[in-house]
Amino acid sequence: GQSLEQPSEVTAVEGAIVQINCTYQTSGFYGLSWYQQHDGGAPTFLSYNGLDGLEETGRFSSFLSRSDSYGYLLLQELQMKDSASYFCAVSEAGTALIFGKGTTLSVSS
Amino acid sequence: KAGVTQTPRYLIKTRGQQVTLSCSPISGHRSVSWYQQTPGQGLQFLFEYFSETQRNKGNFPGRFSGRQFSNSRSEMNVSTLELGDSALYLCASTVGGRVDGYTFGSGTRLTVV
């Protein structure tokens, strides 16, 4: 079966940089995705990494190392509105998208 | 374009009853997945449907079932409700490939009393 590990909570201040790590154990791995969910809201897609390396989308970047079964989401120039839960999710051949338990990011001023 | 629509938004049911939740995906999206979200447990996978066929099923008891119609709309049913079924049930749709990213609905908040 699959398993994903990510920290349960991370705290940071406005303007800082924070990295949320995700390690996974799967077979037939396709790629790693990241989703953001604000309290009471729907999860929204942030990024997808199918190959090793860094993907950048504005203030957010995501990294994948397939050999290490490891990825991370990097959030720069943190803003209060970035306070949310962040989920990593793995895609496997022939199975559904499986999510980690999420990391709650709290940004303070 | 319209997003993923889930109805109803909130539901209160009594133990032992059954419930049906509905999900209308984005137009053109043929894949619909259902997740159960409870505090501390993240999103737990229930089912995935593609073109009216169940493609994958999560590790939930047989009380949880689903289906997809020819217009890609999907329903999930929970029979003999238990207190532990209280959760946010999320539906997500995608064109067909997971690399595209799922679009989630706002969910149905089910409370079992």
Side-chain angles (χ1 to χ4, degrees):
Chain A
Q2 314 97 332
S3 71
L4 296 97
E5 294 290 332
Q6 55 181 127
S8 58
E9 293 183 22
V10 174
T11 59
V13 297
E14 272 189 304
I17 299 173
V18 73
Q19 179 173 311
I20 299 173
N21 299 319
C22 176
T23 58
Y24 59 87
Q25 286 186 317
T26 71
S27 55
F29 177 81
Y30 269 358
L32 186 71
S33 304
W34 290 91
Y35 286 76
Q36 178 193 60
Q37 185 181 31
H38 286 98
D39 265 353
T44 56
F45 173 72
L46 291 176
S47 69
Y48 173 81
N49 293 72
L51 301 174
D52 284 359
L54 194 67
E55 295 283 341
E56 297 181 77
T57 309
R59 295 185 297 112
F60 293 3
S61 304
S62 57
F63 172 82
L64 175 65
S65 168
R66 295 171 72 108
S67 60
D68 294 324
S69 298
Y70 163 76
Y72 66 72
L73 179 69
L74 190 73
L75 299 86
Q76 303 182 73
E77 300 172 18
L78 280 173
Q79 302 174 11
M80 297 290 285
K81 67 178 183 179
D82 297 329
S83 293
S85 292
Y86 293 84
F87 296 88
C88 59
V90 294
S91 308
E92 287 188 355
T95 70
L97 190 63
I98 302 301
F99 287 79
K101 293 188 177 182
T103 298
T104 300
L105 171 63
S106 300
V107 181
S108 58
S109 56
Chain B
K1 60 182 179 182
V4 177
T5 303
Q6 291 189 246
T7 56
R9 288 296 311 276
Y10 302 92
L11 206 48
I12 300 176
K13 289 287 189 178
T14 304
R15 270 185 307 175
Q17 288 186 310
Q18 74 165 16
V19 67
T20 298
L21 312 181
S22 178
C23 172
S24 293
I26 290 174
S27 178
H29 284 194
R30 297 165 63 191
S31 172
V32 173
S33 297
W34 288 88
Y35 290 85
Q36 181 195 66
Q37 186 173 29
T38 54
Q41 292 301 310
L43 284 77
Q44 294 185 284
F45 171 68
L46 282 156
F47 338 92
E48 179 189 20
Y49 288 89
F50 182 80
S51 295
E52 302 180 66
T53 301
Q54 188 179 85
R55 191 155 67 172
N56 289 292
K57 188 177 191 305
N59 189 27
F60 277 80
R63 301 184 296 106
F64 292 81
S65 62
R67 59 179 176 169
Q68 186 180 33
F69 302 95
S70 58
N71 62 358
S72 294
R73 189 178 72 85
S74 178
E75 289 181 347
M76 67 163 283
N77 183 276
V78 188
S79 62
T80 320
L81 283 166
E82 300 177 359
L83 296 179
D85 297 333
S86 295
L88 179 66
Y89 290 88
L90 292 161
C91 161
S93 75
T94 186
V95 172
R98 298 173 192 104
V99 303
D100 307 314
Y102 282 16
T103 301
F104 280 85
S106 296
T108 294
R109 173 74 63 184
L110 172 65
T111 302
V112 183
V113 298

